[in-house]
Amino acid sequence: MENNILDQIIKPENCVFKKTRLLTDKPFHYCPGCGHGVIHRITMEVIEELGIEEQTIGVAPVGCAVMAYDYMDIDVQEAAHGRAPAVATGIKRVYPNKYVFTYQGDGDLAAIGTAETMHCCNRGENILIIFVNNGIYGMTGGQMAPTTLEGAKTATCPYGRDVSTMGYPIRITELVAQLPAVRFVTRQSVHTPAAVRKCKNAIKKAMQYQSEGKQGTCIVEVLSNCNSGWKMSPVQANKWMEENTFKYYQPGDIKDNFKLLKSPVIEQQ
């Protein structure tokens, strides 16, 4: 009897990893070691598992993920740089029963798109914002982003970010969490298998909140490396992220179902 059970468990179809059918077969253009591919996969897994692929519309603006529509086998609308929340707002109001999400980088969401981000969250648009924070402008050559850590070197601050002239890194997620119409805010990562599972669960929760049809924006920030922009190997970049990024941008839930779980007071370290 035990052997029969074991045979069932170790069947190849039960052991081999399968790609979600909502990812196309087109090879990713992302740098090896980048987190975008993993985030794409778990987002599409969530949509497939919830059975909502026919009801979901993504919005991708300019950035490393500008060609997300090539990889996601769902409806995806392109947006101008920083304008994804505004485009998503229009889509959601025309199709209120659709699941709508944006997929944005830190340079897009927290720099050129700051106004769209803040006002969308202040209105409590019933959408999901997936915010990939790698602390740098990855697509355009590794320039300093609003989220670049103090002292971190980039193409435009080769001696390190000096807060006396360049300001502090922006914790945009904590800022929007203080807005009353924001429903769910969390910060996750995808640098380990355990972190990937947590991030996927967070994206699933945000999608399920949207199904209730109530006012309230959901934001899932995903900390990722940019090993090419940071001039490191993928292993070194993940280690550096754990030792440095996580100290300033602490992973975990910040707000859930309109209740702050952490102090809204933001102190610079």
Side-chain angles (χ1 to χ4, degrees):
M1 183 67 176
E2 290 182 1
N3 287 337
N4 290 336
I5 295 174
L6 186 60
D7 289 342
Q8 291 294 323
I9 294 174
I10 62 175
K11 279 185 175 181
E13 59 265 29
N14 295 331
C15 299
V16 177
F17 171 80
K18 294 182 179 179
K19 177 175 72 71
T20 170
R21 60 182 173 79
L22 295 186
L23 281 180
T24 68
D25 291 329
K26 186 165 185 177
F28 286 139
H29 74 278
Y30 303 118
C31 303
C34 171
H36 275 299
V38 177
I39 304 166
H40 280 19
R41 176 175 62 81
I42 60 177
T43 302
M44 292 302 102
E45 285 179 352
V46 165
I47 293 171
E48 181 180 7
E49 290 168 10
L50 293 176
I52 58 174
E53 56 266 33
E54 297 297 330
Q55 291 80 44
T56 301
I57 302 174
V59 182
V62 176
C64 287
V66 65
M67 293 187 289
Y69 53 80
D70 272 347
Y71 312 127
M72 299 178 179
D73 196 13
I74 60 171
D75 289 329
V76 180
Q77 170 66 48
E78 192 68 25
H81 200 188
R83 310 309 187 236
V87 173
T89 295
I91 293 172
K92 186 69 176 186
R93 293 193 179 194
V94 173
Y95 299 107
N97 295 324
K98 297 286 188 180
Y99 294 81
V100 181
F101 72 93
T102 69
Y103 189 99
Q104 302 176 252
D106 48 316
D108 175 88
L109 180 144
I112 192 171
T114 309
E116 279 74 9
T117 301
M118 298 299 291
H119 289 290
C120 173
C121 292
N122 192 51
R123 295 191 304 268
E125 302 292 344
N126 186 21
I127 66 169
L128 163 61
I129 296 174
I130 298 175
F131 166 36
V132 184
N133 179 3
N134 58 18
I136 203 168
Y137 279 89
M139 184 186 75
T140 55
Q143 297 90 347
M144 186 185 76
T147 52
T148 300
L149 293 177
E150 180 179 358
K153 298 178 180 179
T154 74
T156 48
C157 55
Y159 300 105
R161 180 172 189 156
D162 180 359
V163 298
S164 66
T165 56
M166 303 170 187
Y168 287 94
I170 295 177
R171 293 189 182 102
I172 193 75
T173 305
E174 278 86 351
L175 288 174
V176 298
Q178 298 176 64
L179 298 173
V182 171
R183 182 170 189 175
F184 176 57
V185 181
T186 188
R187 179 181 288 122
Q188 302 294 331
S189 66
V190 290
H191 69 299
T192 65
V196 171
R197 287 194 293 272
K198 289 181 180 179
C199 187
K200 180 178 175 179
N201 288 336
I203 293 173
K204 179 174 284 189
K205 176 187 276 191
M207 284 290 192
Q208 290 172 322
Y209 272 151
Q210 200 173 155
S211 68
E212 296 177 8
K214 298 179 181 178
Q215 180 191 38
T217 307
C218 293
I219 301 166
V220 177
E221 177 181 351
V222 187
L223 298 174
S224 178
N225 69 48
C226 181
N227 48 286
S228 59
W230 295 356
K231 312 301 181 187
M232 302 177 187
S233 71
V235 173
Q236 291 172 332
N238 280 336
K239 184 178 180 181
W240 191 92
M241 183 170 63
E242 286 183 320
E243 295 175 350
N244 298 275
T245 306
F246 288 5
K247 291 180 180 179
Y248 192 84
Y249 300 108
Q250 297 178 359
D253 292 348
I254 300 170
K255 190 176 188 179
D256 193 6
N257 212 15
F258 302 106
K259 295 180 180 179
L260 280 169
L261 305 177
K262 295 182 179 180
S263 172
V265 177
I266 301 173
E267 297 179 355
Q268 302 296 347
Q269 298 175 348

Coordinates of all heavy atoms in Angstrom, one line a residue, residues 25-68:
D25 N 5.4 32.0 -24.9 CA 6.7 31.3 -25.1 C 7.8 32.2 -25.5 O 8.9 31.8 -25.8 CB 6.5 30.2 -26.1 CG 5.6 29.1 -25.6 OD1 5.7 28.8 -24.4 OD2 4.9 28.4 -26.4
K26 N 7.5 33.5 -25.6 CA 8.6 34.4 -26.0 C 9.6 34.6 -24.9 O 9.3 34.9 -23.8 CB 8.0 35.8 -26.4 CG 9.0 36.8 -27.0 CD 8.3 38.0 -27.6 CE 9.3 38.9 -28.3 NZ 8.7 40.0 -29.0
P27 N 10.9 34.5 -25.3 CA 12.0 34.6 -24.2 C 12.0 36.0 -23.6 O 11.8 37.0 -24.3 CB 13.3 34.4 -25.0 CG 12.8 33.6 -26.2 CD 11.5 34.1 -26.6
F28 N 12.2 36.1 -22.3 CA 12.3 37.4 -21.6 C 13.5 38.1 -22.1 O 14.6 37.5 -22.4 CB 12.4 37.2 -20.1 CG 11.2 36.7 -19.4 CD1 11.2 35.8 -18.4 CD2 10.0 37.3 -19.7 CE1 10.1 35.4 -17.7 CE2 8.8 36.9 -19.1 CZ 8.9 36.0 -18.1
H29 N 13.4 39.4 -22.2 CA 14.5 40.3 -22.6 C 15.3 40.8 -21.3 O 16.3 41.4 -21.4 CB 14.1 41.5 -23.4 CG 13.4 42.5 -22.5 ND1 12.0 42.4 -22.2 CD2 13.8 43.7 -21.9 CE1 11.7 43.5 -21.5 NE2 12.7 44.3 -21.3
Y30 N 14.8 40.4 -20.1 CA 15.4 40.9 -18.9 C 16.8 40.3 -18.7 O 17.1 39.2 -19.1 CB 14.5 40.5 -17.7 CG 13.1 41.1 -17.8 CD1 12.0 40.2 -17.9 CD2 12.9 42.4 -17.9 CE1 10.7 40.7 -18.0 CE2 11.6 42.9 -18.1 CZ 10.5 42.1 -18.1 OH 9.3 42.5 -18.3
C31 N 17.6 41.0 -17.9 CA 19.0 40.6 -17.6 C 18.9 39.3 -16.8 O 18.0 39.2 -15.9 CB 19.8 41.6 -16.9 SG 19.9 43.2 -17.7
P32 N 19.8 38.3 -17.0 CA 19.8 37.1 -16.1 C 20.0 37.5 -14.7 O 20.8 38.3 -14.3 CB 21.1 36.4 -16.6 CG 21.2 36.8 -18.1 CD 20.8 38.3 -18.0
G33 N 19.2 37.0 -13.8 CA 19.2 37.3 -12.4 C 18.2 38.3 -12.0 O 18.0 38.5 -10.7
C34 N 17.6 39.0 -12.9 CA 16.6 40.1 -12.6 C 15.3 39.4 -12.0 O 15.0 38.3 -12.4 CB 16.3 40.9 -13.8 SG 14.9 42.0 -13.7
G35 N 14.6 40.2 -11.1 CA 13.4 39.7 -10.5 C 12.2 39.8 -11.4 O 11.2 39.2 -11.0
H36 N 12.2 40.5 -12.5 CA 11.0 40.8 -13.3 C 10.4 39.5 -13.8 O 9.2 39.3 -13.7 CB 11.3 41.7 -14.5 CG 11.3 43.1 -14.1 ND1 10.1 43.8 -13.7 CD2 12.2 44.1 -14.2 CE1 10.4 45.1 -13.5 NE2 11.7 45.3 -13.8
G37 N 11.2 38.5 -14.2 CA 10.7 37.3 -14.7 C 9.9 36.5 -13.7 O 8.8 36.0 -14.0
V38 N 10.4 36.5 -12.5 CA 9.7 35.8 -11.4 C 8.4 36.5 -11.1 O 7.4 35.8 -10.8 CB 10.6 35.7 -10.1 CG1 9.9 35.0 -9.0 CG2 11.9 34.9 -10.4
I39 N 8.4 37.8 -11.0 CA 7.2 38.6 -10.7 C 6.2 38.4 -11.8 O 5.0 38.2 -11.5 CB 7.6 40.1 -10.5 CG1 8.6 40.2 -9.4 CG2 6.3 40.8 -10.1 CD1 9.3 41.6 -9.4
H40 N 6.6 38.4 -13.0 CA 5.7 38.1 -14.1 C 5.0 36.7 -13.9 O 3.8 36.6 -14.1 CB 6.4 38.1 -15.5 CG 6.7 39.4 -16.0 ND1 6.7 40.6 -15.3 CD2 7.0 39.8 -17.3 CE1 7.0 41.6 -16.1 NE2 7.2 41.1 -17.3
R41 N 5.8 35.7 -13.6 CA 5.3 34.4 -13.5 C 4.3 34.2 -12.4 O 3.2 33.7 -12.6 CB 6.5 33.4 -13.2 CG 6.0 31.9 -13.0 CD 7.2 31.0 -12.9 NE 8.0 31.2 -11.8 CZ 7.8 30.9 -10.5 NH1 6.7 30.3 -10.2 NH2 8.7 31.1 -9.6
I42 N 4.6 34.8 -11.2 CA 3.7 34.6 -10.1 C 2.4 35.4 -10.3 O 1.3 35.0 -9.8 CB 4.3 34.9 -8.7 CG1 4.8 36.3 -8.6 CG2 5.5 33.9 -8.4 CD1 5.4 36.7 -7.3
T43 N 2.5 36.5 -10.9 CA 1.3 37.3 -11.2 C 0.4 36.5 -12.2 O -0.8 36.5 -11.9 CB 1.7 38.7 -11.9 OG1 2.5 39.4 -11.0 CG2 0.4 39.5 -12.1
M44 N 1.0 35.9 -13.2 CA 0.2 35.1 -14.1 C -0.4 33.9 -13.5 O -1.5 33.4 -13.7 CB 1.0 34.8 -15.4 CG 1.3 36.0 -16.2 SD -0.2 36.9 -16.8 CE -0.1 38.3 -15.7
E45 N 0.4 33.3 -12.5 CA -0.1 32.1 -11.8 C -1.3 32.5 -11.0 O -2.3 31.7 -10.9 CB 1.0 31.6 -10.9 CG 2.1 30.8 -11.6 CD 3.2 30.3 -10.7 OE1 3.2 30.7 -9.5 OE2 4.1 29.5 -11.2
V46 N -1.2 33.6 -10.3 CA -2.4 34.0 -9.5 C -3.6 34.2 -10.4 O -4.7 33.7 -10.0 CB -2.1 35.4 -8.8 CG1 -3.3 36.0 -8.2 CG2 -1.1 35.1 -7.6
I47 N -3.5 34.8 -11.5 CA -4.6 35.1 -12.4 C -5.2 33.8 -12.9 O -6.4 33.6 -13.0 CB -4.2 36.0 -13.6 CG1 -3.9 37.4 -13.0 CG2 -5.3 36.1 -14.6 CD1 -3.3 38.3 -14.0
E48 N -4.3 32.8 -13.3 CA -4.7 31.5 -13.7 C -5.5 30.8 -12.6 O -6.5 30.2 -12.8 CB -3.6 30.7 -14.3 CG -4.0 29.3 -14.8 CD -2.8 28.5 -15.3 OE1 -1.7 28.9 -15.1 OE2 -3.1 27.4 -15.8
E49 N -4.9 30.8 -11.4 CA -5.5 30.0 -10.3 C -6.8 30.6 -9.9 O -7.7 29.8 -9.5 CB -4.5 30.0 -9.1 CG -3.2 29.2 -9.3 CD -2.2 29.4 -8.3 OE1 -2.5 30.1 -7.3 OE2 -1.0 29.0 -8.5
L50 N -7.0 31.9 -10.0 CA -8.3 32.5 -9.7 C -9.3 32.4 -10.9 O -10.5 32.7 -10.7 CB -8.1 34.0 -9.4 CG -7.3 34.3 -8.1 CD1 -7.1 35.8 -7.9 CD2 -8.0 33.7 -6.8
G51 N -8.8 31.9 -12.0 CA -9.7 31.8 -13.2 C -10.2 33.1 -13.7 O -11.4 33.1 -14.2
I52 N -9.4 34.1 -13.7 CA -9.9 35.4 -14.1 C -9.2 36.0 -15.3 O -9.2 37.2 -15.5 CB -9.8 36.4 -12.9 CG1 -8.3 36.6 -12.4 CG2 -10.7 36.0 -11.8 CD1 -8.1 37.6 -11.4
E53 N -8.5 35.2 -16.1 CA -7.8 35.7 -17.2 C -8.6 36.5 -18.2 O -8.1 37.4 -18.8 CB -7.0 34.6 -17.9 CG -7.9 33.4 -18.4 CD -7.9 32.3 -17.4 OE1 -7.9 32.5 -16.2 OE2 -8.1 31.1 -17.9
E54 N -9.9 36.1 -18.4 CA -10.7 36.8 -19.3 C -11.3 38.1 -18.8 O -11.9 38.9 -19.5 CB -11.9 35.9 -19.7 CG -11.5 34.6 -20.5 CD -10.8 34.9 -21.8 OE1 -11.2 35.9 -22.4 OE2 -10.0 34.0 -22.2
Q55 N -11.1 38.3 -17.5 CA -11.6 39.5 -16.8 C -10.5 40.4 -16.4 O -10.8 41.4 -15.7 CB -12.5 39.1 -15.6 CG -13.8 38.4 -16.0 CD -13.6 36.9 -16.3 OE1 -12.9 36.3 -15.6 NE2 -14.3 36.5 -17.3
T56 N -9.3 40.1 -16.7 CA -8.1 40.9 -16.2 C -7.5 41.8 -17.3 O -7.3 41.3 -18.4 CB -7.1 40.0 -15.6 OG1 -7.7 39.2 -14.6 CG2 -5.9 40.8 -15.1
I57 N -7.2 43.0 -16.9 CA -6.5 43.9 -17.9 C -5.3 44.5 -17.1 O -5.4 45.1 -16.0 CB -7.4 45.1 -18.3 CG1 -8.6 44.5 -19.0 CG2 -6.6 46.0 -19.3 CD1 -9.6 45.6 -19.4
G58 N -4.1 44.3 -17.7 CA -2.9 44.9 -17.1 C -2.5 46.2 -17.8 O -2.9 46.4 -18.9
V59 N -1.8 47.0 -17.1 CA -1.3 48.3 -17.7 C 0.2 48.4 -17.4 O 0.7 48.3 -16.3 CB -2.0 49.5 -17.1 CG1 -1.5 50.8 -17.8 CG2 -3.5 49.4 -17.2
A60 N 1.0 48.5 -18.5 CA 2.4 48.6 -18.4 C 2.9 49.9 -19.0 O 2.7 50.1 -20.2 CB 3.1 47.4 -19.1
P61 N 3.6 50.7 -18.2 CA 4.2 51.9 -18.8 C 5.6 51.7 -19.2 O 6.1 50.6 -19.4 CB 4.1 52.8 -17.6 CG 4.4 51.9 -16.4 CD 3.8 50.6 -16.8
V62 N 6.3 52.8 -19.5 CA 7.7 52.8 -19.9 C 8.6 52.3 -18.7 O 8.4 52.7 -17.6 CB 8.2 54.1 -20.4 CG1 9.7 54.1 -20.8 CG2 7.4 54.5 -21.7
G63 N 9.6 51.5 -19.0 CA 10.5 51.0 -18.0 C 11.0 49.6 -18.5 O 10.8 49.2 -19.6
C64 N 11.7 48.9 -17.6 CA 12.2 47.6 -18.0 C 11.1 46.7 -18.4 O 11.3 45.8 -19.3 CB 13.0 47.0 -16.8 SG 14.6 47.7 -16.4
A65 N 9.9 46.8 -17.9 CA 8.8 46.0 -18.2 C 7.9 46.6 -19.3 O 6.7 46.2 -19.4 CB 8.0 45.6 -17.0
V66 N 8.5 47.4 -20.1 CA 7.7 48.1 -21.1 C 7.0 47.1 -22.1 O 6.0 47.4 -22.7 CB 8.5 49.1 -21.9 CG1 9.6 48.5 -22.7 CG2 7.7 50.0 -22.8
M67 N 7.7 46.0 -22.3 CA 7.1 45.0 -23.2 C 6.5 43.8 -22.5 O 6.4 42.7 -23.0 CB 8.2 44.5 -24.1 CG 8.8 45.5 -25.1 SD 9.9 44.9 -26.3 CE 11.4 44.6 -25.3
A68 N 5.9 44.1 -21.3 CA 5.2 43.0 -20.6 C 4.1 42.4 -21.4 O 3.8 41.2 -21.2 CB 4.6 43.6 -19.3

